[in-house]
Amino acid sequence: MFGRRKTDKQPEAPVLDLHKYREPEKADAKTLEARKPCAADDVTEQAEAVLPEAAETTEATAESNDDLHERLARMTVEKCLKTMKPEAILSVSREEAATLVENLLEEIAMKEGLSVSGEDRRDLVTVGLNEVLFEAKRIVPNAEGAANAARKTRSTLDSAKESVHPILLERIDIAKALEMPRSDLAAQITEVVDEILAEKQIQLNQMEQRDLVTLLLNDMLGLGPLEPLLADEAVTDIMVNGAKQVYVERGGKLELSGVTFRDDSHVMNIATRIVSRIGRRVDESTPLVDARLEDGSRVNVIIPPLAIDGPSISIRKFSTKKITFEVMEKQGNISPAMGKVLRIAARARLNILISGGTGSGKTTMLNALSRMIDPGERICTIEDAAELQLQQPHVVRLETRPPNLEGKGEITMRDLLKNTLRMRPDRIILGEIRGAEALDMLQAMNTGHDGSMCTIHANNPREALTRLENMVAMAGVKLPHEAVRSQIANAVHMVVQVSRMRDGVRRVSKITEVVGMEGEIVTTQDLFTYEFTGEDAEGRLTGEFRCSGLRPVFMSHADYYGLGKALMQAMSEGTS
């Protein structure tokens, strides 16, 4: 997989000099001399004397525009400093920082309903960029020097790795090396690397040599440049957009990382290593594929010609810290009363549909709900890429399979769902409903498999039920709309709406109960809702979780499992 490669050394980003971009505070003597009154000023004064009201209106309008532009620039600077850390701002090139400022400026202008012309936009971007860089240097005075030193060290390591890597592969047995423990392999590689550095007369200090060995090991055993990001618990998402651009999500916010690959072939090697571990492939015949890492993290890979700017890898990391309802309550994702109701709903074997957008936390909520399942129950999970982390002892995990090169051998989610019904499951958990399997899932829920759960992409509970109805039609079975809606009303007991809001925090925005049918309409009632009230000084949204105070229709289910009093108490706590 590894061989000799010659790659051009990437030029270092230029050091930014802020002083030449800042506006002078006072005009000099020559400027003041040039501003002396002239004949044109007399004409202007006469015109203003004739039309004093028009002149005052023009001045007021100009002053108003200046105030709006100043406010817009100030809001852009504040937003930029909240979006990226000062160290990250100073570590990127001026062009990348300007693009960030321009995007934030357009977003704020659209939100405030302001219209900015092309020339004014260019001026505002320049002023905003200079202010952002000035504030970043003021907050972290030594950040620019540290960033330059880090870039220089990175360039030195990349150059050394380019020279050492091919020679190292010639001197070791790759097959035996892959079978060795990482610690033993690291000790042997360190000795070989020391010899190669001495032969090539490459001078590195002890820390740089250790970092070089780590980079080589990551390329041989791990996922290369992505290993530090995978080890960082603060990173929840990793997005590789070609060889030279890797974004990460920290605290619900996207930021550009300093990680890069050698070239597109390097990215392809890492992508191939990921998908081959689970028996899948990525090439021109299969340019997009879903996969998973060993810890269950979700991976999507798409390569050229579909990805125009180079191979793209998207990794949704799973936190090593288990997210339970207790953790959600502490983080403000749900209220304590909502947590109690969700626990009771899972223990009372309600069929629950978890709805939300991409990255909103649907799988996390599904994992938290599954913790309430009795250990004595037999659970069957069906997913495209196995990522659920169930803690029960009796779990059968099933995963779909794509077709082979001849287009044969595909096993769909619907095939697995039909087979699951013959496996005597107590509960069926479907990773995500996307198509015709919706019909089979509804039938399973209506035929004795209570307590089943699944996720669906939708913006609100009502839309989730509508999309579920549309997916049933994808099965190719012609059923009357009334029959489909009646089946949905009987099968689905509760819809939990999860949302990732603009401050990056994921919250349960609604807990909705399916009541039944009124004519041809599926009726629902909201048990809990999240109501937005404002924003604090740190940019975090403020609001409260409100309980409707309505009596839940699934009270009979709760009474059957001895949880009726607990449910009434939770609802009363929510209203107090």
Side-chain angles (χ1 to χ4, degrees):
M1 183 178 293
F2 298 95
R4 297 178 181 269
R5 296 186 181 88
K6 295 182 179 180
T7 57
D8 295 333
K9 184 178 178 182
Q10 297 295 319
E12 295 185 4
V15 180
L16 301 175
D17 184 6
L18 295 179
H19 300 290
K20 65 180 181 180
Y21 296 107
R22 295 189 61 79
E23 296 290 337
E25 297 180 357
K26 296 182 180 180
D28 54 18
K30 292 182 180 181
T31 304
L32 294 174
E33 183 68 23
R35 292 178 180 173
K36 287 184 177 180
C38 60
D41 295 331
D42 296 336
V43 177
T44 304
E45 291 176 0
Q46 293 175 7
E48 291 178 353
V50 175
L51 299 172
E53 295 182 0
E56 291 177 2
T57 303
T58 303
E59 291 176 0
T61 302
E63 183 178 358
S64 176
N65 288 336
D66 290 342
D67 291 342
L68 288 175
H69 289 171
E70 182 179 354
R71 183 166 67 91
L72 187 57
R74 185 174 64 254
M75 293 173 65
T76 303
V77 172
E78 293 174 355
K79 182 73 171 178
C80 186
L81 292 174
K82 290 178 181 179
T83 303
M84 288 184 68
K85 296 180 180 179
E87 298 89 340
I89 293 174
L90 294 175
S91 66
V92 302
S93 66
R94 184 177 178 86
E95 291 77 9
E96 292 172 329
T99 301
L100 173 65
V101 171
E102 184 175 7
N103 292 338
L104 292 176
L105 177 68
E106 292 179 355
E107 177 184 338
I108 294 173
M110 183 179 299
K111 180 181 177 182
E112 296 292 326
L114 302 177
S115 178
V116 184
S117 64
E119 184 176 352
D120 290 339
R121 181 187 291 109
R122 184 172 61 252
D123 293 340
L124 285 173
V125 169
T126 302
V127 172
L129 176 61
N130 293 335
E131 287 299 326
V132 165
L133 294 175
F134 179 80
E135 288 298 322
K137 287 187 92 175
R138 184 182 62 80
I139 296 172
V140 189
N142 299 324
E144 186 176 5
N148 290 334
R151 282 195 293 266
K152 185 176 181 180
T153 301
R154 181 69 185 183
S155 177
T156 302
L157 288 176
D158 288 343
S159 178
K161 181 184 174 185
E162 185 178 348
S163 301
V164 171
H165 189 241
I167 303 176
L168 176 65
L169 295 180
E170 293 176 357
R171 298 188 181 183
I172 64 175
D173 187 336
I174 298 295
K176 292 183 178 180
L178 296 177
E179 297 175 356
M180 295 177 61
R182 185 182 177 99
S183 56
D184 296 341
L185 181 60
Q188 295 191 21
I189 285 182
T190 300
E191 298 177 1
V192 180
V193 168
D194 290 341
E195 296 175 0
I196 298 174
L197 292 176
E199 294 173 4
K200 291 291 184 179
Q201 297 183 349
I202 300 175
Q203 296 183 353
L204 298 177
N205 58 40
Q206 187 174 0
M207 183 176 295
E208 290 172 341
Q209 289 186 30
R210 186 170 65 249
D211 292 341
L212 176 60
V213 171
T214 301
L215 291 175
L216 294 169
L217 284 173
N218 288 340
D219 263 350
M220 295 175 62
L221 303 178
L223 301 182
L226 298 181
E227 285 293 332
L229 300 179
L230 292 171
D232 189 349
E233 294 186 0
V235 175
T236 55
D237 279 270
I238 303 172
M239 289 143 281
V240 180
N241 306 329
K244 302 303 178 183
Q245 190 181 68
V246 179
Y247 278 88
V248 297
E249 179 184 295
R250 286 189 177 93
K253 300 290 186 180
L254 294 179
E255 60 183 62
L256 183 66
S257 71
V259 173
T260 59
F261 293 80
R262 288 193 305 272
D263 48 32
D264 286 348
S265 63
H266 191 191
V267 184
M268 280 297 302
N269 287 335
I270 299 300
T272 303
R273 188 176 304 175
I274 292 173
V275 301
S276 60
R277 289 176 178 175
I278 61 170
R280 299 187 179 183
R281 68 185 188 279
V282 57
D283 48 34
E284 290 187 0
S285 62
T286 312
L288 52 88
V289 62
D290 289 322
R292 68 179 186 277
L293 301 182
E294 293 180 354
D295 63 353
S297 297
R298 184 191 314 168
V299 182
N300 176 267
V301 178
I302 182 168
I303 65 173
L306 302 185
I308 299 174
D309 297 324
S312 175
I313 304 175
S314 303
I315 301 177
R316 174 74 51 79
K317 283 180 56 182
F318 275 163
S319 174
T320 54
K321 178 183 177 183
K322 304 302 180 184
I323 305 298
T324 62
F325 286 126
E326 290 78 8
V327 175
M328 291 183 184
E329 292 171 11
K330 293 179 181 178
Q331 295 177 165
N333 308 123
I334 59 175
S335 67
M338 295 170 72
K340 291 181 180 179
V341 171
L342 290 174
R343 290 186 186 94
I344 293 171
R347 288 172 180 165
R349 297 180 64 88
L350 264 61
N351 294 326
I352 302 175
L353 186 64
I354 302 171
S355 169
T358 301
S360 58
K362 298 186 298 298
T363 304
T364 301
M365 174 60 67
L366 190 57
N367 279 323
L369 284 169
S370 68
R371 288 175 173 270
M372 301 297 107
I373 299 176
D374 188 274
E377 297 183 27
R378 175 177 170 87
I379 308 168
C380 292
T381 67
I382 304 172
E383 303 170 84
D384 279 329
E387 54 185 337
L388 292 174
Q389 299 173 324
L390 273 65
Q391 306 301 314
Q392 285 72 16
H394 198 167
V395 178
V396 180
R397 305 171 69 200
L398 306 178
E399 187 178 60
T400 60
R401 186 178 70 184
N404 56 22
L405 287 173
E406 292 78 22
K408 299 179 181 179
E410 180 182 13
I411 303 296
T412 65
M413 193 171 288
R414 192 175 186 187
D415 297 329
L416 294 177
L417 187 52
K418 290 178 179 178
N419 187 79
T420 301
L421 297 176
R422 305 185 185 98
M423 297 172 63
R424 197 245 173 241
D426 289 314
R427 299 202 195 206
I428 299 174
I429 298 181
L430 203 62
E432 182 180 343
I433 296 180
R434 295 180 179 175
E437 65 272 6
L439 176 61
D440 300 284
M441 188 66 184
L442 289 177
Q443 291 178 341
M445 289 178 172
N446 276 322
T447 54
H449 299 91
D450 292 337
S452 297
M453 306 174 190
C454 53
T455 69
I456 190 171
H457 277 78
N459 295 325
N460 55 66
R462 173 60 61 180
E463 183 180 334
L465 298 178
T466 303
R467 291 201 69 229
L468 191 60
E469 180 182 351
N470 294 337
M471 290 176 186
V472 170
M474 297 171 64
V477 180
K478 294 183 179 181
L479 295 174
H481 292 296
E482 296 80 2
V484 175
R485 292 170 186 169
S486 176
Q487 197 167 7
I488 291 174
N490 292 329
V492 180
H493 299 131
M494 178 179 288
V495 181
V496 180
Q497 184 68 36
V498 189
S499 303
R500 182 176 64 173
M501 301 188 176
R502 60 184 177 86
D503 60 349
V505 179
R506 288 137 171 112
R507 298 180 176 90
V508 175
S509 57
K510 279 187 179 182
I511 297 180
T512 302
E513 186 181 21
V514 179
V515 177
M517 293 281 293
E518 285 187 8
E520 299 180 359
I521 305 300
V522 178
T523 58
T524 62
Q525 65 178 14
D526 293 336
L527 299 181
F528 290 90
T529 58
Y530 176 79
E531 294 188 5
F532 164 76
T533 57
E535 184 176 344
D536 60 18
E538 298 179 354
R540 186 183 175 95
L541 299 183
T542 59
E544 59 179 333
F545 298 100
R546 294 188 180 233
C547 176
S548 63
L550 299 174
R551 177 185 174 86
V553 176
F554 70 92
M555 181 64 71
S556 58
H557 280 76
D559 287 334
Y560 179 74
Y561 287 93
L563 300 170
K565 292 182 179 179
L567 178 59
M568 290 302 298
Q569 182 180 358
M571 294 298 294
S572 62
E573 290 177 0
T575 55
S576 61

